[in-house]
Amino acid sequence: MRLPEHLELLLTDEPVLDVYSYGPWRVPDGLFEEIAARIDGLAADPRAAELTTDEHKLLTLPATLVTAEIFGILAFLPGGGAIKAGSYSQLPERLLHRHLVNPGPLSTRMTRWDAPGGRWRPPVDWLIEAPDRELAIELARDCLSVLEGIQPLEERRKALLRLYDDAPVCDVNLPKPELREHWHAHAGDDIVTAVPELLGPVGYLEWVCTGLLAAYEVLAEAAPRDESVETHLIQLLLQGSMEHVPAELAVAVGEERYHELRRRFPAEHRGFKPGAWQERTRAWLVRALVAGAADACRGWLDMAMRFVAIAQGLPGDPWFPKAEWIPVGQFQTDLRRLYAPRRRVVNPLTETLKSVGEPAGDAAARTGGRAGGGSDRPAEIATSLVGQPEVVAALAELTRGEEPVRLLIAGPDGTGKRDAAQELGRALALGRDPHWVTDNLLTGQRLSDAVAKLHADARDCAGDRLLIIEGLDTIVGDPGNGEAIAAELHRLLAVHPDLHLVALAGAGGDERIRDINPVLPQRFRIARTRPFTAQGHAELFRRALEARGARGTRQAIEAAGVLLAATPPMQTLRNARLAPHLADLVVAAARARAAAARDAAGEAAGEAADGSAPKAGLLIRKQDIPDTLDTSQATGNPLAELRDLTGLETVKHEIALLVAGTHAARLRSESGLTITPPTRHMVFTGNPGTGKTMVARLLGRIYKRLGVLSSGHLVEASRAHLVGEYIGQTAPRTRRLVERALGGVLFIDEAYTLTQSPLKGDYGHEAIAELVKLMEDHREDLVVIVAGYEQEMAEFLAANPGLDSRFPKQIHFPDYTDDELIILFGQLAAADGFRLAPGTEDVLLAMLRRAPRGPSFGNGRLMRNMLDVAVANQADRVASAAVVAGKEIGGATGKSGKNRKPAKPPSKKDLVTLTADDLPPLLDHPEEFFGLYL
């Protein structure tokens, strides 16, 4: 039985503000102190310092008008009659503590709550006393501004700011009731949606009733109750000490229901007992709570309290509800009573009664021969791990012991960490399957949400379920929340002594965790995995063949082990994942060869319909194992492909110099000379379509052939791949992207967008800082290429002091000439199976000469788009010709067709020929060129 994750915060001792309509929110450390300082600063502002009042009953007199205004705003912002709860729910007391005439003690009880009133007046509540009404409105807006940062109130605060910024056109010196009507009428739908009190008491009552009835419907389904909706509403009115049914309900619930309420009210009034109703309602909410309707319970309580506040305030605004019997506090107590962490002890009857009538030998065998029962864990764990003796030893030790399992497995990706955790979960036999938590569920989240989830998972798993946390080093390394989560996890291990936990981390992850929280790794038994040897890869390959219904000779399996050990990883294809990849290739080739041999010998009879051999009979020999395994699936000579590219002569020359420098460095190394590996990260500048991505891909393959990069693959990225939407997301995104590119080339297009965002607090600079660090950490097996327009890239390199030195090589990609674009167009057409009719190139050249050149010119991309248009036009032309020819063949030609040459269907040559007529039209206004074809 679990509480919804977003409510888990209510079970902690964190500083929480819980406005029911928003949900629990952890108050950031120092925020309320910062807001209080802002309030003090505004009160001391020369515009406001002399504006005071001697009439406020709760503030130290003389009180500044802005302080009195803020006091009223804090009462209104949560909502009219809305429930505001939590250990930090005393907003006026905490934010205006220095200004209160009689400040009482601050409560930190999580079950504390109140329901403020909902009286809103134009933005001149206490400031109405200011002699200058325009200044009053200006200061009222400032009062809202200083309250920025309290998330549960932000939507309403911003809506009121929009209303203040677009004030109605009226005399600012009108009486407040008239001003109020002008402001209400002027509020747009978006503002009224956030602040429904602006609808007026009747409109707000209607809004509340719709929510109240919706929540009641859900609760009645989760926990059926023997009463009608009308009875329910009447009892709420009676709880609010109402002596009649307000006439305004005729608008809110409809005339028919209103008349029914009036008819039943006297009878309900006579027998109504508030205390009994409260107890029944509390029990009803508890039943709904355990049925999984926690959110509906809270929604009903919120709307019920607003309903009472409005009813008591009619015909005016909702006001602070009087002491009521609606069980808000009781519900909050019940929620913690049912779901808060509890200590557990084992009742001895669970064992002693099982042993009644059981032979002593059987009982001893069941308890493992240990006095007092002990652990049911097996003496030995049956493990299928390959080449990981340290992990196998740790699993055996933990399954033999009686202490709760606390294991940290660190090692490279694909070395059996997850398999080890799963095997341990099966061996422990805790009754429920392990619960997996990945780093994506915690990194980049709000700290309150991440901590609440961690608490919920620990509480749910304690005692009878293995909790497995993947990427613990990534989680605690999160620059936003990592350190706090590490401390929280350490605390939870002490709070839940019966929690079984396995944490997985990357290679060296235990040291990274130790750097952040030195004491946390001490709570774990640490085991490290290691890359597989040739023998380990051979065993993995043998198992992969067996899973595919094949078997291999000893020589084949040994050869596969040697090959896999020498194969560089690429992205996620590494370590244990290489063996299944090779097995798929080898088995598919062997089956195809065996099927061909059987067909040639005429022995296919009796085989399966698809001609494949029986799986168990497929034998893999040494000659079936390839000499090399190219995980990047790239074939051909990249240097030759670079030479064959159209144009780009300066680029080819620069790449040739890089290749020559790499050859020279190798020769020096072979001669025993000391060399310093150069920094190979570089900048590509140029307009769109000039071949930057294509050359980056070829460069990765070239560096792989030269032994500079292990895999040579290309990972393309843009700003969206690096920059997160919230604090704490950017650094993990950047790290994951770099990890994908290790062994190859990371190509970041339009990199200058990382520094050009106009938004305050943009995380682009955080991505750059993280990228600079990772480039240095992985310089031996990673090439980062940033690309974009020449001027913008110069500004990008100047944005961070470490960027320019990290990219020592800059290569400019010039625009293609017209002749080069013509050649490129022909090459693209040929690659798609088309040829150009005579005269086509001349028309295309005329179009290009008229096309304006500039930063938006598409170069090769433009040729690709124009070819697509030409192919579409050609398809329409040949299809129409085929239709016409078909009609003439199938029908009479008539007199008009006697002397006309009959149409012929398109020939094979016609189907693959592009003519000048297929090209886009020659435009009268060249400036339209890009809009049509880009």
Side-chain angles (χ1 to χ4, degrees):
M1 184 174 69
R2 287 192 57 178
L3 200 62
E5 287 186 13
H6 64 280
L7 299 181
E8 295 285 353
L9 197 58
L10 298 175
L11 307 177
T12 70
D13 295 323
E14 299 286 338
V16 172
L17 172 61
D18 182 22
V19 178
Y20 269 34
S21 58
Y22 179 89
W25 177 68
R26 187 192 185 280
V27 180
D29 296 338
L31 175 64
F32 279 10
E33 291 77 6
E34 178 187 337
I35 295 176
R38 290 185 218 152
I39 293 174
D40 291 345
L42 181 59
D45 188 297
R47 297 172 300 158
E50 301 302 322
L51 302 178
T52 62
T53 179
D54 291 321
E55 297 182 4
H56 205 287
K57 297 179 181 179
L58 300 177
L59 298 177
T60 302
L61 303 179
T64 61
L65 294 182
V66 295
T67 308
E69 184 83 13
I70 290 173
F71 197 101
I73 290 174
L74 287 172
F76 175 74
L77 275 182
I83 296 174
K84 174 167 62 73
S87 57
Y88 267 47
S89 60
Q90 293 170 286
L91 294 180
E93 291 84 349
R94 291 185 179 274
L95 300 180
L96 299 170
H97 190 80
R98 192 177 68 82
H99 300 275
L100 297 178
V101 65
N102 186 24
L106 294 175
S107 171
T108 57
R109 289 184 302 107
M110 189 65 77
T111 55
R112 188 199 174 279
W113 71 279
D114 62 78
R119 182 171 62 177
W120 181 83
R121 289 169 287 192
V124 281
D125 187 355
W126 284 88
L127 284 164
I128 192 72
E129 299 181 20
D132 184 345
R133 190 67 67 88
E134 291 185 356
L135 173 62
I137 294 176
E138 178 184 335
L139 288 173
R141 192 195 185 288
D142 292 342
C143 290
L144 274 176
S145 297
V146 299
L147 298 178
E148 180 181 6
I150 307 175
Q151 287 302 323
L153 311 181
E154 277 296 274
E155 183 182 7
R156 291 168 61 86
R157 187 188 71 87
K158 290 178 179 178
L160 290 178
L161 279 176
R162 292 197 299 274
L163 181 61
Y164 288 17
D165 290 340
D166 183 25
V169 178
C170 64
D171 183 358
V172 296
N173 294 306
L174 287 173
K176 277 201 289 187
E178 295 184 33
L179 269 178
R180 173 193 176 107
E181 295 303 320
H182 283 287
W183 285 81
H184 280 195
H186 191 66
D189 289 345
D190 62 321
I191 296 173
V192 174
T193 299
V195 191
E197 293 92 328
L198 299 185
L199 294 168
V202 177
Y204 185 43
L205 176 63
E206 183 177 14
W207 182 87
V208 167
C209 284
T210 56
L212 176 65
L213 295 178
Y216 179 79
E217 183 178 347
V218 174
L219 289 181
E221 183 175 348
R225 194 176 187 184
D226 187 19
E227 69 175 18
S228 65
V229 173
E230 289 76 14
T231 299
H232 184 71
L233 291 175
I234 291 172
Q235 291 178 343
L236 273 178
L237 291 172
L238 294 172
Q239 284 297 101
S241 304
M242 299 296 295
E243 297 296 328
H244 65 282
V245 178
E248 289 83 353
L249 277 174
V251 177
V253 300
E255 291 187 18
E256 183 177 348
R257 176 165 283 170
Y258 166 70
H259 290 303
E260 183 65 16
L261 293 176
R262 290 192 60 193
R263 186 182 68 80
R264 297 189 186 186
F265 189 84
E268 292 289 341
H269 196 346
R270 285 191 296 272
F272 184 73
K273 296 181 179 180
W277 182 88
Q278 181 217 35
E279 290 301 323
R280 289 197 309 272
T281 303
R282 178 182 184 179
W284 175 55
L285 292 173
V286 170
R287 285 191 290 120
L289 183 63
V290 299
D295 286 320
C297 291
R298 287 164 53 87
W300 180 86
L301 285 168
D302 192 33
M303 292 298 114
M305 190 56 67
R306 295 179 194 240
F307 180 81
V308 170
I310 297 171
Q312 290 180 348
L314 289 172
D317 296 314
W319 195 231
F320 294 86
K322 300 172 186 176
E324 308 303 338
W325 289 94
I326 295 176
V328 180
Q330 293 91 328
F331 170 79
Q332 297 185 142
T333 300
D334 290 336
L335 185 145
R336 291 175 65 88
R337 177 172 60 87
L338 290 170
Y339 291 98
R342 298 184 303 278
R343 292 188 296 174
R344 293 188 177 97
V345 294
V346 178
N347 190 315
L349 288 177
T350 60
E351 292 296 328
T352 56
L353 291 181
K354 287 181 182 178
S355 303
V356 174
E358 183 179 10
D362 292 345
R366 178 174 51 77
T367 61
R370 290 183 291 273
S375 172
D376 292 335
R377 300 180 191 174
E380 296 291 340
I381 182 173
T383 177
S384 61
L385 296 178
V386 173
Q388 306 298 344
E390 187 176 340
V391 177
V392 172
L395 296 183
E397 175 187 327
L398 292 170
T399 52
R400 284 196 299 267
E402 298 184 29
E403 297 298 319
V405 170
R406 304 285 169 81
L407 176 62
L408 172 60
I409 306 177
D413 196 22
T415 50
K417 293 178 292 185
R418 292 190 185 94
D419 291 339
Q422 289 173 328
E423 289 183 355
L424 182 59
R426 288 192 292 268
L428 294 176
L430 294 174
R432 289 197 290 164
D433 291 338
H435 178 63
W436 291 76
V437 176
T438 66
D439 57 337
N440 288 328
L441 295 174
L442 296 175
T443 56
Q445 305 298 319
R446 295 188 306 179
L447 179 60
S448 57
D449 293 339
V451 169
K453 173 165 180 55
L454 198 60
H455 273 266
D457 290 334
R459 185 173 61 256
D460 179 62
C461 295
D464 63 349
R465 192 176 195 184
L466 177 64
L467 175 60
I468 303 173
I469 301 179
E470 281 199 73
L472 181 61
D473 53 336
T474 302
I475 293 171
V476 303
D478 179 9
N481 300 330
E483 189 173 350
I485 292 178
E488 200 68 31
L489 179 59
H490 179 264
R491 187 179 302 119
L492 286 172
L493 291 174
V495 171
H496 299 286
D498 56 346
L499 175 64
H500 300 278
L501 174 63
V502 174
L504 310 182
D510 54 324
E511 293 300 326
R512 288 192 292 275
I513 296 171
R514 186 173 286 108
D515 291 341
I516 294 166
N517 189 314
V519 74
L520 183 58
Q522 297 177 15
R523 305 300 300 269
F524 291 91
R525 165 73 158 87
I526 299 176
R528 299 173 183 86
T529 61
R530 59 191 184 190
F532 297 99
T533 62
Q535 291 78 10
H537 277 296
E539 174 59 20
L540 292 170
F541 181 71
R542 185 193 66 77
R543 295 183 184 185
L545 287 182
E546 188 177 276
R548 288 155 180 77
R551 58 191 178 92
T553 65
R554 180 176 59 82
Q555 295 85 352
I557 291 174
E558 289 178 354
V562 173
L563 171 62
L564 291 170
T567 299
M570 185 192 78
Q571 295 181 283
T572 57
L573 189 57
R574 57 183 63 235
N575 295 312
R577 298 164 190 162
L578 288 168
H581 177 67
L582 176 61
D584 285 335
L585 298 177
V586 170
V587 169
R591 282 186 177 148
R593 186 178 61 254
R598 286 195 308 275
D599 290 343
E603 297 177 357
E607 297 290 333
D610 61 358
S612 60
K615 293 183 178 180
L618 189 64
L619 181 66
I620 304 300
R621 303 181 184 277
K622 183 177 181 180
Q623 55 266 34
D624 295 324
I625 306 299
D627 295 331
T628 60
L629 180 61
D630 186 2
T631 54
S632 65
Q633 300 294 311
T635 59
N637 185 344
L639 284 170
E641 293 179 34
L642 180 64
R643 285 195 300 269
D644 293 339
L645 292 179
T646 300
L648 303 177
E649 298 306 323
T650 58
V651 175
K652 295 175 185 177
H653 176 70
E654 295 287 350
I655 300 297
L657 291 177
L658 293 175
V659 173
T662 303
H663 279 304
R666 177 177 296 172
L667 292 174
R668 295 188 188 99
S669 178
E670 292 172 353
S671 300
L673 299 175
T674 302
I675 62 170
T676 301
T679 300
R680 295 186 171 87
H681 310 303
M682 59 189 74
V683 179
F684 285 0
T685 62
N687 290 331
T690 49
K692 297 186 291 294
T693 306
M694 180 169 50
V695 170
R697 182 174 285 106
L698 289 174
L699 185 61
R701 292 170 55 196
I702 290 170
Y703 273 153
K704 181 191 176 184
R705 287 170 64 93
L706 295 174
V708 173
L709 295 175
S710 58
S711 66
H713 66 284
L714 180 77
V715 174
E716 295 184 58
S718 62
R719 172 188 167 87
H721 294 91
L722 293 117
V723 180
E725 300 174 13
Y726 309 105
I727 187 170
Q729 286 185 326
T730 297
R733 278 193 185 185
T734 305
R735 286 197 297 272
R736 284 194 290 268
L737 186 67
V738 170
E739 288 168 2
R740 283 179 52 206
L742 287 180
V745 174
L746 174 59
F747 181 80
I748 305 176
D749 199 12
E750 297 182 342
Y752 52 84
T753 58
L754 294 172
T755 61
Q756 288 187 341
S757 174
L759 300 177
K760 181 181 179 182
D762 180 70
Y763 305 124
H765 289 278
E766 181 184 346
I768 293 173
E770 186 71 16
L771 183 63
V772 167
K773 177 181 179 299
L774 295 170
M775 287 165 57
E776 190 63 28
D777 292 346
H778 303 288
R779 60 179 297 177
E780 294 182 356
D781 200 20
L782 173 70
V783 172
V784 176
I785 299 176
V786 291
Y789 295 110
E790 189 170 12
Q791 178 61 36
E792 283 80 352
M793 290 306 297
E795 296 171 358
F796 165 74
L797 294 175
N800 184 295
L803 274 180
D804 198 34
S805 61
R806 296 307 196 285
F807 295 97
K809 189 70 174 178
Q810 299 189 26
I811 300 178
H812 180 67
F813 286 66
D815 286 347
Y816 288 100
T817 65
D818 290 347
D819 291 336
E820 289 171 344
L821 289 173
I822 295 297
I823 295 172
L824 183 60
F825 186 87
Q827 291 173 340
L828 292 172
D832 288 354
F834 292 95
R835 58 181 291 274
L836 302 182
T840 305
E841 294 179 350
D842 295 336
V843 175
L844 182 59
L845 183 61
M847 295 179 66
L848 289 174
R849 285 176 177 170
R850 297 189 60 192
R853 293 294 183 107
S856 299
F857 186 74
N859 289 289
R861 196 174 303 159
L862 174 64
M863 292 300 96
R864 175 77 261 176
N865 293 344
M866 293 188 69
L867 176 62
D868 290 342
V869 174
V871 169
N873 291 338
Q874 189 257 14
D876 180 64
R877 175 171 58 79
V878 297
S880 299
V883 170
V884 171
K887 287 182 178 179
E888 292 193 358
I889 292 172
T893 58
K895 291 183 179 180
S896 61
K898 288 182 180 179
N899 297 322
R900 182 166 56 84
K901 189 175 181 179
K904 295 181 180 180
S907 65
K908 184 177 181 179
K909 181 179 179 181
D910 294 333
L911 293 175
V912 296
T913 300
L914 298 176
T915 69
D917 293 336
D918 296 325
L919 293 174
L922 191 63
L923 300 175
D924 294 330
H925 300 283
E927 64 272 10
E928 299 176 7
F929 195 77
F930 299 116
L932 290 177
Y933 307 126
L934 288 183

